Amino acid sequence: MERLFKTHEIRKQRELSGLWDFYKEGAQEDTRKVIVPSCFETYPGLENYTGVGCYEYKTFLQGNIRLCFKGVSHTAKVYLDGNPVMEHYNAYTPFSVVLKGVEKGIHTLKVTADNSCHEESALHVINDYYNYGGISRPVIAENIGDIFIEWLHFTPCFEENTWKGEAALCIHNLSQGRRVKIKYYLNDTLLGEAPEEVKEGSNVVKTQFSFPEVTAYQPENPVLYYLKAVLEVDGREEDDLIERIGFREITVKDGRILWNGRAICVKGFNRHEDHGLFGCAIPVEAMDYDLRLIKESGANAVRTCHYPNDERFLDLCDEMGIMVWEESHARGLSEKQMRHKNFRSQSLSCIDEMVREHFNHPCIFTWGILNECASDTEYGREVYQEQYNRLRELDQSRPLTSATCKHFCDICLDLPDIVSINIYPLWYNDEPVDECLEKEYEWIQSAGGKGKPVLVSEIGAGAIAGVHSSCRQKWSEERQADILREQLAGVLSHPEYSGVFLWQFSDGRVPDECFYARPRCMNNKGVVDEYRRKKLGFEAVKEAFGK
């Protein structure tokens, strides 16, 4: 399943899911059949494999073909009939390649996926989550003409008591300049049409609309609409793109995050794309189950730590009214790591791809960057500023944030719109929760964050599922539940904080190198385990969020 709604009525597309041939690089004689999407750590015998996995698929192609890859972990190379056609770096963002004039017939598509932390990789390093490998999200083949729609972005705003909005449409022309007509529809109602000249390459056309009768999108009433652009060439409708949108505005004012002018209280979870059965290639049914558990707990938000998530997960959040902090890829990198020759370019590419593909999701209320990176250094500040600037170039409709653990020495708190802090009182130290929150808030006010909303972006405690203790010792489910109650009571009763994201929703795998701090080679701070079995902490969170 590519998306949870139909994105084209005119353009022909098909998902290349199902059985592909797979073999480790250099071991083609050991070919097996595997399901795509998937990650190769879920294949028997490859649970700990690091290296290059090769996928092959035979399919019928003809004419201009656009191949869309929603996610390949981490370094991908794409071949058609043995010829290289595309390379891409980053597991968590989509990419595509256009193949002109493919000869009619059966062709062999080959994709190599490399999950190793090689010297050219600045973002995929040994970290506190697992670097799975494989074709982890859907692959789509599309038939396109010489002129086709690349993307459609919609920015709503509420002015003069009426919802208005700007549609930005990117049209790609593979041939010489031509005149086309663009039609826009909201659901089935024609909004307008206009002729446009499109030169060779990419062309961005912007159009303003008013919507006097639409219903605002609210988390408790997530009303969605379908915005469709139709491309007419020489009097014929040649291409289209349908996006799902919601009418809402996110602003910050007087230390609060406002959703359509109303202050929100964030009660959320950090969630890794990690599952005991599926690794990072989580089926949409399992995503839905996660979100139903999250809603059952009383939570209203999710943070996509520490990378962009599968767009089907975001589709579900749109439908359920779950607020999302979507984060670009980077976690816990030192200044030395941020000075890697490819770090800045790879980070900016990730931001570009994240915003381009996920712009229209009304559930996303903030973009985040650079979790726990070197925000206490001058070079780090330069990088933070660069990435914030890029985000503001791409999207002025959402506030920006980043989660810091550089307590009392962060020099970047003046840069984001929302200040976010990662703290673990009662877990990594015995400091009382209220005392910790008060100290942090006073420091934020004096260090550049005065007047800004403040979120606790991480807080929590660990428990090994099934471990119980009458002494309520650390790593027991009882101790985790006790700590979570006290932490949440402190944050949610503090008037200066706009909310909290618990670390974390479910237990997740970490590399063997992290074993000394992570029993079972898992981050065990989930309120459910890796198979989504509830710990005692789940009920503690449900009780706290319910208040």
Side-chain angles (χ1 to χ4, degrees), residues 23 73 87 109 153 163 181 190 193 222 247 266 345 392:
Y23 54 92
S73 306
E87 290 189 22
L109 177 64
H153 290 171
W163 282 104
K181 181 187 288 186
L190 179 66
E193 55 184 72
F247 290 87
V266 174
S345 62
R392 290 186 173 109

Side-chain angles (χ1 to χ4, degrees), residues 415-432:
L415 300 179
D417 304 298
I418 301 168
V419 176
S420 300
I421 56 170
N422 296 345
I423 55 175
Y424 289 87
L426 306 181
W427 181 249
Y428 290 128
N429 58 66
D430 291 327
E431 185 176 18

Side-chain angles (χ1 to χ4, degrees), residues 253-272:
K253 183 179 180 181
D254 299 330
R256 294 296 171 201
I257 305 168
L258 306 181
W259 189 295
N260 291 336
R262 186 184 64 183
I264 58 173
C265 176
V266 174
K267 297 181 289 185
F269 283 103
N270 290 274
R271 175 187 173 272
H272 271 299

Side-chain angles (χ1 to χ4, degrees), residues 138-342:
V139 182
I140 313 296
E142 300 180 337
N143 290 89
I144 55 172
D146 285 347
I147 304 177
F148 65 96
I149 297 171
E150 278 196 278
W151 49 259
L152 170 63
H153 290 171
F154 180 74
T155 306
C157 63
F158 194 69
E159 294 178 350
E160 300 171 348
N161 212 34
T162 300
W163 282 104
K164 300 179 182 180
E166 179 183 81
L169 186 71
C170 183
I171 303 171
H172 196 91
N173 186 358
L174 300 174
S175 58
Q176 59 188 8
R178 297 185 66 177
R179 192 171 181 82
V180 302
K181 181 187 288 186
I182 306 168
K183 299 177 182 177
Y184 294 95
Y185 297 83
L186 187 70
N187 291 350
D188 295 323
T189 301
L190 179 66
L191 297 174
E193 55 184 72
E196 292 288 344
E197 290 286 343
V198 290
K199 64 181 186 300
E200 186 176 356
S202 293
N203 304 257
V204 177
V205 178
K206 296 183 178 181
T207 311
Q208 307 289 331
F209 297 106
S210 292
F211 305 89
E213 298 181 355
V214 296
T215 300
Y217 181 101
Q218 304 280 12
E220 67 275 13
N221 185 32
V223 178
L224 294 163
Y225 293 87
Y226 296 92
L227 180 66
K228 178 169 69 173
V230 175
L231 185 64
E232 189 176 288
V233 182
D234 297 332
R236 292 185 55 188
E237 292 184 345
E238 295 286 350
D239 196 23
D240 67 339
L241 179 59
I242 303 167
E243 288 285 355
R244 204 165 58 172
I245 63 170
F247 290 87
R248 61 100 185 90
E249 279 189 310
I250 312 298
T251 54
V252 296
K253 183 179 180 181
D254 299 330
R256 294 296 171 201
I257 305 168
L258 306 181
W259 189 295
N260 291 336
R262 186 184 64 183
I264 58 173
C265 176
V266 174
K267 297 181 289 185
F269 283 103
N270 290 274
R271 175 187 173 272
H272 271 299
E273 288 186 319
D274 197 305
H275 195 286
L277 291 175
F278 312 112
C280 68
I282 303 177
V284 70
E285 295 86 353
M287 297 178 195
D288 179 68
Y289 186 71
D290 280 1
L291 287 170
R292 293 188 186 280
L293 282 176
I294 286 169
K295 290 204 76 168
E296 181 189 336
S297 77
N300 60 13
V302 171
R303 177 182 172 214
T304 70
C305 53
H306 298 292
Y307 39 77
N309 270 204
D310 191 311
E311 60 192 340
R312 297 169 298 173
F313 180 78
L314 300 175
D315 284 342
L316 286 166
C317 291
D318 286 337
E319 293 188 3
M320 295 184 183
I322 294 175
M323 300 180 289
V324 173
W325 162 344
E326 172 134 272
E327 190 160 292
S328 187
H329 187 202
R331 181 219 167 260
L333 302 182
S334 65
E335 178 178 339
K336 180 180 178 181
Q337 289 173 305
M338 292 170 72
R339 286 184 178 273
H340 185 288
K341 61 181 179 178
N342 294 330

Side-chain angles (χ1 to χ4, degrees), residues 5 8 65 67 104 309 419 434:
F5 62 95
H8 300 281
I65 302 296
L67 295 175
K104 178 181 179 180
N309 270 204
V419 176
D434 290 338

